[in-house]
């Protein structure tokens, strides 16, 4: 099917449509990749990282929350009672 009476114009129009579709697909793929990278970064932070040579371990979010809950419980219960020191005399 011809859109115009000039086949060259129709060929350029078809080429333009194909290129426009490729550009839209490229942009969609880039947006999906950026979104996935953000999700991957979040999951890395959530799960933490083990210690490596030259790097400290990064605790996971559940481990951090557990440590915070423990600290809050210690604060609620007050300071620990003093212990008896044995004299060295």
């Amino acid at each position: 099917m011809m859109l115009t009476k000039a086949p060259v114009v129709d060929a350029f129009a078809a080429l333009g449509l194909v290129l426009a579709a490729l550009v839209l697909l490229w942009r969609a793929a880039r947006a999906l990749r950026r979104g996935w990278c953000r999700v991957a970064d979040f999951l890395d932070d959530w799960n933490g990282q083990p210690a490596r040579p030259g790097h400290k371990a990064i605790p996971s979010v559940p481990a951090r929350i557990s440590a915070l809950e423990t600290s809050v419980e210690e604060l609620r219960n007050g300071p620990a009672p003093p212990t008896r020191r044995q004299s060295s005399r």
Side-chain angles (χ1 to χ4, degrees), residues 16 22 45 53 58 87:
L22 289 175
D45 289 343
I58 300 172
S87 65

Side-chain angles (χ1 to χ4, degrees), residues 39-70:
V39 169
D41 289 342
F42 170 78
L43 291 175
D44 285 344
D45 289 343
W46 183 266
N47 293 322
Q49 298 289 325
R52 305 180 310 218
H55 295 280
K56 295 180 184 177
I58 300 172
S60 65
V61 172
R64 292 176 188 179
I65 291 173
S66 177
L68 286 172
E69 288 175 344
T70 303

Side-chain angles (χ1 to χ4, degrees), residues 2-60:
M2 294 180 63
L3 298 176
T4 64
K5 292 184 181 185
V8 175
V9 174
D10 288 343
F12 278 115
L15 181 63
L17 287 174
V18 169
L19 289 176
L22 289 175
V23 168
L24 287 175
L25 287 173
W26 175 255
R27 286 185 176 213
R30 271 186 27 197
L32 286 173
R33 184 175 180 275
R34 286 180 184 169
W36 177 250
C37 286
R38 288 179 183 168
V39 169
D41 289 342
F42 170 78
L43 291 175
D44 285 344
D45 289 343
W46 183 266
N47 293 322
Q49 298 289 325
R52 305 180 310 218
H55 295 280
K56 295 180 184 177
I58 300 172
S60 65

